[in-house]
DNA sequence: CTGAAAGCGCTTACAG
DNA sequence: CTGAAAGCGCTTACAG
């Protein structure tokens, strides 16, 4: 590895001068500059960021902690896009991203501190205590995709869960549906609470009585969860004419269960999902769903974190717009 | 941040002694040990890995470069599992992983050098020159999921593309198929070459004449690519009775195109994919495919890289077994 | 404009 | 068993 010492020796100036030229700070002569830059170039010099970070107290590394309590969530298409877009956005701004899995969260937290990450993005559900620990170590944090009730001021980036849900139900109501099932995800997830609120609000504005028998809770929001929830929903009388699933994976389960009973989607029962994962447009029938912008989510999380790293102190709440995508399941 | 200096002061010994005790090296008395450990505990001391790395020349960080030439590959379910399992495996061994996107590969490479990554995993197709640059900087490299022809000795982890393909075609032949279409992915991918070889070998062993009209190349191996390739295949006379797609996404395109012509899968034409991505079992008809072990792939890549970091010098080739999963499309 | 010096937080011989 | 010292590769005042 070539160091400033090597460059200093070869260009006949001191390390200090080399350092000043290379970091473009302080003053130096054009002559020195030319010599130093030329040698650095020839030697393909790259500054050692560890050494730099020791002094500047800034590594230009951010941590991305992925939640994995429910299913292997990193491999979930939804979170994968966040990782991808976060990496891209961070790279553009001169940061690198280190990915951690919250399965061994305490371990990750220790790593984050030891490795001097500048800040952390927590994607998905996290325990309050995690945010607390980070905050008490003065590490900037941005929460993504779900929020938690904390006494600490924390920035977060979430989807407009309420609005997306509201729009979906309103569309269903406008299409003539009056009995609409709703499948709620894990109870500790704020996102699903918001989606339920949007559901209720649409009923209210549509002046339709809301019947709680059609709201079902499902702790494992995947295909199997959707199937189980649908079994409950289809035990009601009258049958719902539409089902709004808390997410796309559950929605696919809903369709599968409906089909298995010899009923047809959307003729007998219409189905709407939430997320617009890649499969939703590929599945048959293609799923009507509330699209969230996963790419933007990663980007905004990075942007907000960097904003904090650069000194902003107030916590920011960023709500990303959703869009109803109408396909074949309604 | 609490440092060994703080601990030294509070426990009344020198920094050297604290360092020795904390890193459990050299010698020290039990009395000192007890005092130091207690204080370190109380102060919730975590060593600064930057400082440590400066001396040991080891960061315990590895880079994972994800290829994204064809589609946003990080968000591709296949690569997401690799990221996930690599992070898990690395964590278990005391390493952290930094994710880079090869879209800006030179930029990433600079980062990798500056940030002193101990080693690199290159997932997906990479240009020879990248491996060369890494090697000439003495950075250990492991190639994953595709290999390249390089004069440098490099370790890689790949699937048994030949064997998986061979088994799939043999199964098709055993089921009575004689005219089997094959959709090859990008020409520069060794994986697809291997899959084609397996296809040919099965024909050879089945003593069936191989007809090159049934082999089609497709540079964009996604659903649309599968649809286009199928159009070519269905222009042949006689029609193939089975189509083996180079990957699952293309296989789904194949099925869509077959369906759109009013033909039925598998009755008119059987379809087999490769990968066994999550969606393959969800799609209808559920896809018969060659399963690859994405989780194991990430794990083995990490394991092999660590093996090198610990001094192993020969390059290792790890071929992961595949498994034919028979579902509804055949 | 330039160089010597101190220091970031740690590790590692080396004397005592 | 213990402490002082040197050093990892850089940055940053500070004299000159």
């Amino acid at each position: 590895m070539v160091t400033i010492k090597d460059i200093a020796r070869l260009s006949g100036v001191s390390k200090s001068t080399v350092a000043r030229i290379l970091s473009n700070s302080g003053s130096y002569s054009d002559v020195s500059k030319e010599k130093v830059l030329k040698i650095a170039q020839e030697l393909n010099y790259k500054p050692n960021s560890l050494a730099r970070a020791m002094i500047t107290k800034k590594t230009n590394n951010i941590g991305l902690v992925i939640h994995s309590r429910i299913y292997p969530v990193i491999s979930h298409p939804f979170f994968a896009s966040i990782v991808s877009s976060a990496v891209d956005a961070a790279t553009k701004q001169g940061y690198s991203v280190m990915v951690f899995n919250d399965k061994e969260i305490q371990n990750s937290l220790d790593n984050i501190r030891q490795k001097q990450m500048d800040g952390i993005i927590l994607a998905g559900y996290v325990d309050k205590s995690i945010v607390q620990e980070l905050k008490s170590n003065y590490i900037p944090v941005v929460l993504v995709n779900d929020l938690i009730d904390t006494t600490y001021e924390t920035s977060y980036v979430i989807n407009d869960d309420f609005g997306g849900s509201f729009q979906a139900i309103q569309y269903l109501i406008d299409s003539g549906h009056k009995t609409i099932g709703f499948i709620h995800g894990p109870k500790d997830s704020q996102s699903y609470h918001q989606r339920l609120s949007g559901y209720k609000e649409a009923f209210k504005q549509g002046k339709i009585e809301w019947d709680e028998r059609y709201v079902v809770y499902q702790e494992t929001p995947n295909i199997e969860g959707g199937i189980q929830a649908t079994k409950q929903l289809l035990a009601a009388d009258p049958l719902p004419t539409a089902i709004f699933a808390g997410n796309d994976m559950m929605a696919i389960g809903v369709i599968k269960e409906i089909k298995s009973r010899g009923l047809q989607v959307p003729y007998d029962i219409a189905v709407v999902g939430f997320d617009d994962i890649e499969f939703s447009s590929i599945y048959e029938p293609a799923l009507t769903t509330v699209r969230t912008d996963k790419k933007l989510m990663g980007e905004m999380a990075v942007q907000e974190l960097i904003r904090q790293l650069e000194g902003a102190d107030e916590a920011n709440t960023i709500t990303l717009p959703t869009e109803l995508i109408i396909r074949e399941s309604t």
Side-chain angles (χ1 to χ4, degrees), chain A:
Chain A
M1 284 278 72
V2 6
T3 70
I4 53 169
K5 207 170 154 187
D6 300 317
I7 298 180
R9 188 166 31 80
L10 291 170
S11 50
V13 297
S14 72
K15 290 190 302 176
S16 322
T17 301
V18 172
R20 263 182 256 113
I21 292 172
L22 258 22
S23 63
N24 196 21
S25 69
S27 51
Y28 42 79
S29 65
D30 283 350
V31 187
S32 302
K33 180 178 175 183
E34 208 172 312
K35 273 190 299 188
V36 166
L37 255 25
K38 182 158 169 286
I39 307 254
Q41 173 84 273
E42 283 171 13
L43 267 43
N44 192 18
Y45 169 79
K46 300 289 173 214
N48 180 327
S49 23
L50 301 183
R52 174 174 291 175
M54 289 225 53
I55 296 174
T56 60
K57 302 292 176 203
K58 194 157 187 324
T59 55
N60 276 277
N61 291 156
I62 62 184
L64 175 55
V65 178
I66 300 287
H67 171 61
S68 60
R69 192 169 43 113
I70 296 175
Y71 29 30
V73 112
I74 284 187
S75 75
H76 190 285
F78 184 62
F79 281 79
S81 333
I82 290 180
V83 173
S84 172
S85 58
V87 167
D88 287 348
T91 303
K92 283 204 190 79
Q93 311 257 21
Y95 287 81
S96 298
V97 0
M98 207 156 245
V99 178
F100 299 94
N101 191 316
D102 83 339
K103 234 185 302 178
E104 317 199 28
I105 186 70
Q106 193 53 53
N107 191 348
S108 295
L109 248 36
D110 289 348
N111 267 320
I112 283 163
R113 281 186 56 198
Q114 299 187 205
K115 298 196 168 165
Q116 317 288 121
M117 300 282 121
D118 291 339
I120 302 297
I121 295 172
L122 293 169
Y125 179 84
V126 278
D127 197 85
K128 267 189 205 187
S129 65
I130 304 303
V131 179
Q132 183 167 337
E133 178 161 350
L134 254 9
K135 283 278 178 177
S136 68
N137 280 296
Y138 303 103
I139 299 175
V141 178
V142 172
L143 262 30
V144 161
N145 194 40
D146 208 348
L147 52 112
I148 43 178
D149 178 31
T150 163
T151 48
Y152 291 89
E153 286 264 294
T154 312
S155 285
Y156 50 84
V157 180
I158 46 169
N159 293 307
D160 182 8
D161 293 297
F162 177 90
S165 172
F166 176 80
Q167 197 188 350
I169 299 299
Q170 197 164 55
Y171 155 74
L172 250 17
I173 289 176
D174 287 350
S175 306
H177 294 283
K178 290 188 169 58
T179 315
I180 304 171
F182 177 85
I183 306 176
H184 190 292
K187 287 193 175 156
D188 58 10
S189 161
Q190 288 294 324
S191 296
Y192 289 107
H193 289 305
Q194 291 299 316
R195 293 174 197 179
L196 179 55
S197 299
Y199 168 93
K200 290 183 186 170
E201 180 63 22
F203 268 82
K204 194 173 154 194
Q205 292 199 15
K207 303 201 193 315
I208 301 180
E209 202 70 40
W210 167 63
D211 184 341
E212 66 176 329
R213 288 180 308 150
Y214 294 99
V215 173
V216 157
Y217 287 79
Q218 182 55 52
E219 286 301 309
T220 47
N222 54 17
I223 291 185
E224 184 53 32
I227 291 175
Q228 295 309 325
T230 306
K231 285 181 177 164
Q232 287 182 54
L233 251 13
L234 297 188
D237 183 22
L239 283 182
T241 62
I243 295 178
F244 178 44
N247 72 22
D248 284 357
M249 288 302 263
M250 289 200 289
I252 290 175
V254 171
I255 297 178
K256 283 187 181 281
E257 178 62 21
I258 291 173
K259 280 182 179 175
S260 81
R261 303 216 176 183
L263 297 173
Q264 286 194 301
V265 176
Y267 311 106
D268 296 311
I269 302 179
V271 178
V272 178
F274 202 109
D275 282 348
D276 193 30
I277 60 177
E278 191 182 6
F279 285 161
S280 298
S281 61
I282 301 170
Y283 190 66
E284 297 160 23
L287 191 64
T288 291
T289 188
V290 178
R291 173 179 293 171
T292 57
D293 194 337
K294 298 107 207 152
K295 190 161 168 292
L296 186 58
M297 186 159 251
E299 285 168 11
M300 294 306 289
V302 167
Q303 183 183 308
E304 170 60 18
L305 185 59
I306 291 178
R307 204 182 61 89
Q308 283 188 45
L309 297 183
E310 286 172 351
D313 47 347
E314 3 65 87
N316 231 180
T317 302
I318 298 166
T319 304
L320 268 24
T322 57
E323 182 189 1
L324 181 65
I325 305 290
I326 298 172
R327 294 201 270 247
E328 304 163 359
S329 67
T330 56

